[in-house]
Amino acid sequence: MALTRRSLLHGAAALGAGASAGFPHIWIKNSGLAIAANGEIKVGVLFSLTGTTAIIEESLNKATILAIEEINAAGGIKGMKIVPVVEDPASDPATFSEKARKLVVGDKCVSVFGSYTSASRKAVLPVFERQNNLYWYPTLYEGRECSKNVIYTGAVPNQQQDEFIPWLVKKFGKKFYLIGSNYIYPKEENNYCKKLLEKYGGEVVNEEYVPLGHSEFSSVINKFRSTQPNVIFSTVVGDSVVALHRQYRAAGLDPEKMPMASLTTSENEIAAMGGDAAAGHFTSAPYFMVHKSPENEKFVAAYKKRWGADKVTHFVSEPSYFQVYLFKQAVEKLGGKDISPNTIREAVKGAEMTAPQGKVRIERENLHTWLWPKIARAKPDGQFEVLVDSAQWQKPVPYAAYPGQNCTEKGLTQS
Ligand code: ACM
């Protein structure tokens, strides 16, 4: 495996413009001193509380705040309180970028927890790379990113699709209709899906993208009828998940004959659409609320106690919660000294903890997370029945769709 010119350039860009002049070192030292001086650790919390993805991001904010409150109630980190600075980027990538800059440069947060959509992560990435800060991203995403300024705790395509696609082909048949929201995440997931379909003898009867926030699916549903797929593979996000499921149901389509198989439909969207609209459809993810473990029982009970007995946990709120504990572990490992994005990153490499879903680990090479893939069917009560629970945790392979490319500690490599 050789370092390419591109990877070296990427690495240089990741260090930021001032890196070669040694500027980030001075900045980090100052930032660390500021943190130590007032006995507080300021972190940003950047999830949309308004707009089309607030339906899910609001719950990511809640899971993050819950973890921070729990840690502070238990004495903080080495006696230091975590102080969350909360911003609402309103489901708008430009606002994400503006707020990220405010949190990092203005508030001097040492890390920021944030984002659901990949569009918003891509929008803030230049801020974190230029300022050499750390973004903790809890959402499943498309991979194909190698930044030393992001800790990725959600699933990448190999962790959601490697078991799911062959299972679907075997159970339902080979004809797939790919429907997604129109941005980078669904397109890259579908790129990987098509590779797996080729491998397992599947085929694509149609591939279609709708605008973010799309709510009128009648023409899409007409195409479901005319193409008669065995599986509708959905990477639609946000409010559109609710509209798609409700309109599918209202059109009288039958999940027994033409199920939707989704990477993005969680207990949270189901709570918004009603259990009947989701019942019989499938999701692949590393976490479901029904998962049985002492850590999950504690998480679910604490979440409900803090935010309401009717609230649900799901496969993006769970990483939102456990990644704050990984942050705590990293700062603890530093002994409460020299706390900076650089030292936190080094301390989190290879870190492990028992999360609600099971033991997770931050992969040293690429800062993505080892997770536990599962396949589940939605029930009318709004919960899932887990049908396949992988026997082993699965390594994150962010470049699985790009053979030869690999994300390493030195940057992107090409063999
Ligand atoms: C996503 O945009 N990563 C769901």
Side-chain angles (χ1 to χ4, degrees), residues 116-118 137 139-141 183 185:
Y116 177 74
T117 69
S118 292
Y137 179 60
T139 309
L140 56 121
Y141 90 108
Y183 71 108
Y185 161 73

Side-chain angles (χ1 to χ4, degrees), residues 15-31:
L15 280 169
S20 55
F23 177 73
H25 174 72
I26 295 165
W27 182 89
I28 284 160
K29 222 173 149 196
N30 285 345
S31 140

Side-chain angles (χ1 to χ4, degrees), residues 119-134:
S120 65
R121 188 193 67 260
K122 292 282 186 201
V124 303
L125 196 56
V127 174
F128 288 87
E129 296 199 330
R130 245 180 258 131
Q131 302 298 327
N132 195 18
N133 204 294
L134 271 187

Side-chain angles (χ1 to χ4, degrees), residues 9-333:
L9 287 174
H10 178 94
L15 280 169
S20 55
F23 177 73
H25 174 72
I26 295 165
W27 182 89
I28 284 160
K29 222 173 149 196
N30 285 345
S31 140
L33 286 174
I35 289 157
N38 56 19
E40 290 179 341
I41 306 176
K42 247 198 244 179
V43 299
V45 180
L46 189 60
F47 295 107
S48 301
L49 305 175
T50 54
T52 190
T53 50
I55 180 175
I56 187 130
E57 290 193 55
E58 192 229 10
S59 65
L60 313 186
N61 165 293
K62 286 183 160 60
T64 306
I65 295 295
L66 172 65
I68 292 172
E69 288 178 355
E70 284 180 354
I71 291 167
N72 285 342
I77 313 179
K78 295 271 172 198
M80 291 180 287
K81 292 273 183 252
I82 307 178
V83 178
V85 184
V86 177
E87 292 290 343
D88 173 15
S91 306
D92 172 45
T95 312
F96 262 94
S97 171
E98 182 194 308
K99 301 279 187 188
R101 199 176 152 69
K102 182 236 171 221
L103 289 169
V104 170
V105 179
D107 297 318
K108 298 212 178 322
C109 293
V110 76
S111 278
V112 177
F113 303 96
S115 274
Y116 177 74
T117 69
S118 292
S120 65
R121 188 193 67 260
K122 292 282 186 201
V124 303
L125 196 56
V127 174
F128 288 87
E129 296 199 330
R130 245 180 258 131
Q131 302 298 327
N132 195 18
N133 204 294
L134 271 187
Y135 199 51
W136 297 69
Y137 179 60
T139 309
L140 56 121
Y141 90 108
E142 68 281 0
R144 209 183 182 189
E145 198 168 278
C146 186
S147 174
K148 70 185 191 67
N149 298 95
V150 184
I151 311 291
Y152 305 85
T153 55
V156 282
N158 75 294
Q159 293 169 312
Q160 280 185 289
Q161 294 201 47
D162 278 4
E163 284 184 66
F164 199 27
I165 300 300
W167 185 86
L168 289 165
V169 170
K170 194 163 167 214
K171 193 168 168 69
F172 295 105
K174 64 180 187 179
K175 287 162 57 184
F176 277 53
Y177 193 117
L178 311 185
I179 177 79
S181 297
N182 192 10
Y183 71 108
I184 185 170
Y185 161 73
K187 290 180 180 173
E188 287 287 338
E189 285 283 0
N190 284 341
N191 177 35
Y192 191 59
C193 177
K194 284 184 275 186
K195 286 179 194 291
L196 292 174
L197 286 176
E198 210 178 301
K199 181 169 166 188
Y200 293 105
E203 65 184 65
V204 176
V205 296
N206 198 18
E207 179 174 353
E208 182 171 9
Y209 297 95
V210 295
L212 272 169
H214 191 69
S215 60
E216 177 28 81
F217 282 92
S218 56
S219 77
V220 170
I221 285 167
N222 285 340
K223 281 179 259 175
F224 292 165
R225 285 191 209 282
S226 63
T227 54
Q228 286 293 306
N230 301 116
V231 174
I232 297 163
F233 185 70
S234 172
T235 46
V236 164
V237 303
D239 293 334
S240 303
V241 178
V242 175
L244 174 61
H245 281 78
R246 282 192 174 152
Q247 288 166 39
Y248 172 108
R249 197 66 166 189
L253 296 179
D254 183 359
E256 294 273 329
K257 299 199 178 100
M258 196 191 287
M260 287 199 264
S262 171
L263 304 182
T264 48
T265 305
S266 77
E267 293 85 344
N268 202 62
E269 287 85 356
I270 295 176
M273 72 179 78
D276 282 346
H281 296 298
F282 297 88
T283 293
S284 169
Y287 170 88
F288 292 97
M289 187 171 169
V290 292
H291 182 67
K292 294 244 171 306
S293 74
E295 292 77 15
N296 191 40
E297 271 163 37
K298 183 171 165 277
F299 170 48
V300 171
Y303 193 87
K304 283 175 173 285
K305 181 162 182 239
R306 176 65 178 90
W307 300 114
D310 59 329
K311 294 291 186 284
V312 294
T313 58
H314 56 86
F315 56 81
V316 197
S317 66
E318 188 244 6
S320 300
Y321 177 76
F322 78 64
Q323 68 178 9
V324 182
Y325 278 92
L326 286 169
F327 169 83
K328 169 182 183 273
Q329 207 184 92
V331 174
E332 259 166 7
K333 194 171 161 191

